[in-house]
Amino acid sequence: MGSLVVCLAWFLVLGFTTSALSLNPDDPNVCSHWESYAVTVQESYAHPFDQIYYTRCTDILNWFKCTRHRISYKTAYRRGVRTMYRRRSQCCPGYFESGDLCVPLCTEECVHGRCVSPETCQCEPGWGGLDCSSASTANGTGSFSALGDLILLMSVFHKAY
């Protein structure tokens, strides 16, 4: 009884673990493909055998009984391998699996921001650059603000001396 409870507990744990971590096929970042796999099956077939039977004949030495042969068939079973196909979900290129989600992959860390699509960072306000590591000096109109000009001037002055 105790081993039955332990087996049932493991079954439940494994069942919930695998079902909780499966990817949602409706997620736009989840791609799928067909995968083949082999399954061992027991299949029936017609197995031929030699059936011996006797018939009346004119052979006096065999007491007027002659031996005849015919091929008959009986159902037999054998193991076979069958190729089956299933749809397998995986993260699309540029995304990686994290639990049951497909998360975008940025090879460079988004220092002051977050990765929103493959190789694309969304920077926090005041930060810019491909990896959000540069302090933003633009005031949103494309021109530099007074603070930005001061920072730029100080960096040029500091490098000159």
Side-chain angles (χ1 to χ4, degrees), residues 102-146:
C102 288
V103 180
L105 175 66
C106 292
T107 52
E108 295 292 324
E109 178 188 0
C110 299
V111 179
H112 295 283
R114 64 186 187 96
C115 189
V116 292
S117 65
E119 304 301 337
T120 306
C121 294
Q122 181 180 40
C123 302
E124 296 170 357
W127 295 94
L130 292 176
D131 63 352
C132 301
S133 62
S134 303
S136 178
T137 56
N139 62 10
T141 62
S143 61
F144 290 93
S145 64

Side-chain angles (χ1 to χ4, degrees), residues 23-32 88-92 95 100-102:
L23 296 174
N24 178 2
D26 296 329
D27 184 341
N29 303 327
V30 173
C31 294
S32 62
R88 183 67 95 183
S89 294
Q90 66 184 29
C91 292
C92 295
Y95 293 84
D100 60 347
L101 299 173
C102 288

Side-chain angles (χ1 to χ4, degrees), residues 36-107:
S36 65
Y37 62 100
V39 176
T40 303
V41 295
Q42 187 168 337
E43 55 190 14
S44 63
Y45 69 100
H47 182 71
F49 68 95
D50 183 21
Q51 185 179 27
I52 300 172
Y53 66 98
Y54 301 98
T55 184
R56 291 190 167 270
C57 65
T58 57
D59 187 357
I60 197 166
L61 295 174
N62 286 323
W63 299 93
F64 304 104
K65 191 166 71 170
C66 293
T67 304
R68 299 280 187 245
H69 297 267
R70 71 175 157 222
I71 301 296
S72 292
Y73 296 90
K74 65 179 179 180
T75 302
Y77 296 92
R78 63 182 169 210
R79 289 184 188 259
V81 177
R82 182 160 297 153
T83 301
M84 305 291 283
Y85 296 91
R86 63 182 163 215
R87 190 172 274 295
R88 183 67 95 183
S89 294
Q90 66 184 29
C91 292
C92 295
Y95 293 84
F96 68 95
E97 193 170 334
S98 177
D100 60 347
L101 299 173
C102 288
V103 180
L105 175 66
C106 292
T107 52

